[in-house]
Amino acid sequence: MNSTWASTMTGVLRLPSGILVRGRGLRKPLPPGPHPDFALYLRGRRPQPVAWESRWLRWPDFWLPTDRDGFAEALRDARARAESERVEIACGGGFGRTGTALACLAVLDGLPAQEAVDFVRRNYSPRAVETPWQRHFVGRFG
């Protein structure tokens, strides 16, 4: 299932363990290819309903998650699900909040926190993790 996800989708990050997760911006059209089985949406307000299972976490643009324990729990769940399901993490633009979450996911996957932002910028988008406090948050995550 995940190999189809990687071969047909843009924005798919391969974590150090080989697990695949798609990051994207919700302001852009849904990419072609298979839909996610589960999505974690990081927005200041509740996103529009989707046809697949999803979870919303309140996270204002350019800031940090309002419920940090809930964020860590949701990310652990997303990582576990990504072992056998197509998982998407998304915010408005697909860079700041999404990039921060993907970097934290890489930490959960075993990457040292000090390397996670550079890893996501190399393998997902150079624009990932937009603010100094997001970068600091990743460095302290885990």
Side-chain angles (χ1 to χ4, degrees):
M1 184 180 306
N2 268 344
S3 61
T4 302
W5 189 244
S7 65
T8 62
M9 305 302 293
T10 58
V12 174
L13 174 68
R14 182 178 300 276
L15 294 168
S17 67
I19 291 173
L20 303 172
V21 178
R22 179 173 75 184
R24 78 174 178 101
L26 295 171
R27 289 191 297 263
K28 299 175 188 166
L30 187 65
H35 294 295
D37 298 309
F38 174 76
L40 179 58
Y41 294 130
L42 313 169
R43 303 287 312 257
R45 61 181 179 195
R46 187 175 302 279
Q48 295 295 318
V50 291
W52 47 88
E53 187 180 351
S54 66
R55 181 171 178 180
W56 166 62
L57 289 174
R58 185 179 306 279
W59 187 335
D61 201 7
F62 297 107
W63 293 99
L64 297 172
T66 57
D67 177 0
R68 295 181 190 180
D69 291 336
F71 169 70
E73 174 193 325
L75 214 53
R76 284 191 296 272
D77 179 51
R79 187 199 173 281
R81 294 181 76 149
E83 291 179 13
S84 61
E85 299 176 56
R86 291 185 302 266
V87 171
E88 162 177 279
I89 297 177
C91 65
F95 301 108
R97 294 167 286 185
T98 296
T100 301
L102 290 173
C104 290
L105 197 61
V107 172
L108 288 178
D109 201 56
L111 196 67
Q114 301 80 5
E115 298 174 23
V117 171
D118 290 337
F119 173 81
V120 171
R121 286 179 175 169
R122 264 191 330 273
N123 295 289
Y124 170 67
S125 170
R127 294 177 54 196
V129 190
E130 292 178 310
T131 67
W133 43 92
Q134 289 172 342
R135 186 178 183 97
H136 181 73
F137 180 76
V138 173
R140 296 178 54 102
F141 188 80

